[in-house]
Amino acid sequence: MLTPQDESLLHQAALPFSQTTTTDHRFYDRVFFAVFDPAGAASVMMGMGLYKNMNVIDAFSCVVRNGKQYNIRASRPLRPDLSTSVGPIRFEVLEAYKSLRFSVAPGDYDVALDLTWSSDIMPFLEERWEGNFKVVNGRVATDTQRFDGIGRWNGWIQVGRERLEVKDWCGGRDHSWGTRGGVGGFEPVNGESHAPKEGWFLGYFVYGDGKDMAGYTLWTEDGQRNFRSFEGTLRWREALGKPDLRLVSVDREIVFPPDRRQFKSAHLTLRGADGSTWKLDCDTPIPGTILKGYGGHGEGFKDKKGFGVYRGNLVEHDVYDLSSPDMVGLPVEQPLIIKLNGKPGYYGWGTILAIGELKQYGLRQQTQEELHRYSIAVDNLKREE
């Protein structure tokens, strides 16, 4: 099947762009967006994924407002319509890396929106850290690439009958593709599980002022605070003429409420390759978005089969009470208000995944039930079997 991309001179295999070189059912191509009001009125997480080998495209939007999370998820067969729209949800690239639009048309559900993201700072192409490439018992279980960006959002959001105007709200985006677990409804079994049995921690922060400066920091560590991986970069808009600064280390203090794995604040001291120090004090002005509400993270769709599963044409929606006991222990994407070296005016979002006993953060060992519920809420922490 030919698409407009096939008129380019950018082919990498003897295939049209509508097909991929791998037959792995878990191949995906997905965008994700974070939006929030710096005053704390509301936040939105939304995204869309395309799965060529499953013949599926799906999408979601989750709005957090007044202690509740309003979710909508949609899925349809990919072919013959390769457009980036699924039911009422639509994604558009207005200008590559600079201007994007995401919308949910009104319907018989609680959420509608029309939002445009803009940025003058090029996104970051992440390094190939441990989470991007993984071999399990001789099989390539994960092989992905991702880039991240920060910017501003404008437009409107409607929750029920309430309409919120969005003017220069904070947020950003990422885009990842490749093969990974949690896609297509099942994971091949080729031996014993290689899922972490000891404490395991991931910190992922994207931040900036949306005008002149952006940065990202990503690391993993074990239950004894030893780093397993670290990467990060600071970047300034091209017109300022400043080179990127590679980050080489982080000292960190992450504050969790008692018996919660949704962090309250984060204090990072980053060191650049030039010897400079950058201190980020990150506060959480609004409850984070529960990953469970997404289009397939663990229990996202109601069939609990995850991203990229063939469901025909489907639109579903639900509402979570974020104070309920079955929500407070689950992982979140967290909006952040940030001071950089003591200076306000910065923002971003952070993802923290904390599994098992992590004494450095005051987190006890989880029970088997807690560990199971937490793990299935995050697709890349599911059992790699």
Side-chain angles (χ1 to χ4, degrees), residues 148-222:
D148 321 286
I150 201 83
R152 294 278 177 172
W153 290 91
N154 287 276
W156 57 268
I157 300 168
Q158 185 168 323
V159 183
R161 297 182 178 180
E162 181 183 27
R163 184 179 171 110
L164 303 174
E165 297 300 321
V166 175
K167 184 173 176 57
D168 286 336
W169 282 19
C170 308
R173 49 82 58 100
D174 75 35
H175 188 159
S176 63
W177 63 95
T179 53
R180 65 181 293 179
V183 171
F186 71 96
E187 190 73 10
V189 176
N190 70 338
E192 294 298 318
S193 170
H194 283 224
K197 294 181 175 60
E198 306 297 332
W200 185 87
F201 181 95
L202 176 143
Y204 168 57
F205 293 78
V206 181
Y207 45 87
D209 62 5
K211 299 177 293 183
D212 294 329
M213 178 267 182
Y216 88 97
T217 303
L218 189 157
W219 79 94
T220 59
E221 59 186 271
D222 63 21

Side-chain angles (χ1 to χ4, degrees), residues 74-315:
S75 181
R76 68 167 174 85
L78 173 63
R79 297 173 179 87
D81 176 12
L82 297 181
S83 68
T84 49
S85 61
V86 189
I89 305 175
R90 183 175 179 83
F91 163 60
E92 302 170 71
V93 178
L94 304 179
E95 184 178 359
Y97 310 120
K98 290 189 174 183
S99 182
L100 309 168
R101 182 183 180 191
F102 199 97
S103 60
V104 180
D108 59 348
Y109 35 82
D110 294 299
V111 174
L113 54 85
D114 193 337
L115 298 170
T116 300
W117 178 84
S118 60
S119 178
D120 289 327
I121 305 173
M122 278 292 291
F124 301 95
L125 183 65
E126 292 182 9
E127 300 174 15
R128 298 281 281 173
W129 65 288
E130 66 159 359
N132 287 349
F133 186 81
K134 185 189 304 180
V135 176
V136 175
N137 298 323
R139 174 181 65 91
V140 176
T142 304
D143 186 6
T144 66
Q145 183 69 73
R146 181 168 63 186
F147 64 78
D148 321 286
I150 201 83
R152 294 278 177 172
W153 290 91
N154 287 276
W156 57 268
I157 300 168
Q158 185 168 323
V159 183
R161 297 182 178 180
E162 181 183 27
R163 184 179 171 110
L164 303 174
E165 297 300 321
V166 175
K167 184 173 176 57
D168 286 336
W169 282 19
C170 308
R173 49 82 58 100
D174 75 35
H175 188 159
S176 63
W177 63 95
T179 53
R180 65 181 293 179
V183 171
F186 71 96
E187 190 73 10
V189 176
N190 70 338
E192 294 298 318
S193 170
H194 283 224
K197 294 181 175 60
E198 306 297 332
W200 185 87
F201 181 95
L202 176 143
Y204 168 57
F205 293 78
V206 181
Y207 45 87
D209 62 5
K211 299 177 293 183
D212 294 329
M213 178 267 182
Y216 88 97
T217 303
L218 189 157
W219 79 94
T220 59
E221 59 186 271
D222 63 21
Q224 285 72 50
R225 203 177 174 84
N226 301 310
F227 282 110
R228 295 168 57 102
S229 64
F230 174 82
E231 65 175 273
T233 302
L234 301 183
R235 175 169 293 165
W236 291 262
R237 64 183 174 94
E238 188 175 355
L240 295 178
K242 297 180 65 173
D244 289 356
L245 176 62
R246 184 173 63 87
L247 300 173
V248 296
S249 68
V250 60
D251 291 333
R252 63 277 185 209
E253 177 188 355
I254 313 296
V255 179
F256 292 89
D259 291 324
R260 296 279 293 274
R261 292 180 186 244
Q262 301 166 356
F263 69 102
K264 182 178 180 181
S265 63
H267 307 278
L268 311 180
T269 300
L270 304 163
R271 291 180 177 81
D274 62 354
S276 60
T277 299
W278 304 80
K279 186 174 181 180
L280 272 70
D281 294 303
C282 309
D283 289 317
T284 55
I286 191 170
T289 303
I290 301 292
L291 270 64
K292 175 181 175 179
Y294 287 13
H297 271 284
E299 296 182 340
F301 281 93
K302 293 179 181 179
D303 62 16
K304 301 183 181 182
K305 293 182 179 179
F307 286 112
V309 172
Y310 189 89
R311 300 177 170 96
N313 290 286
L314 173 68
V315 177

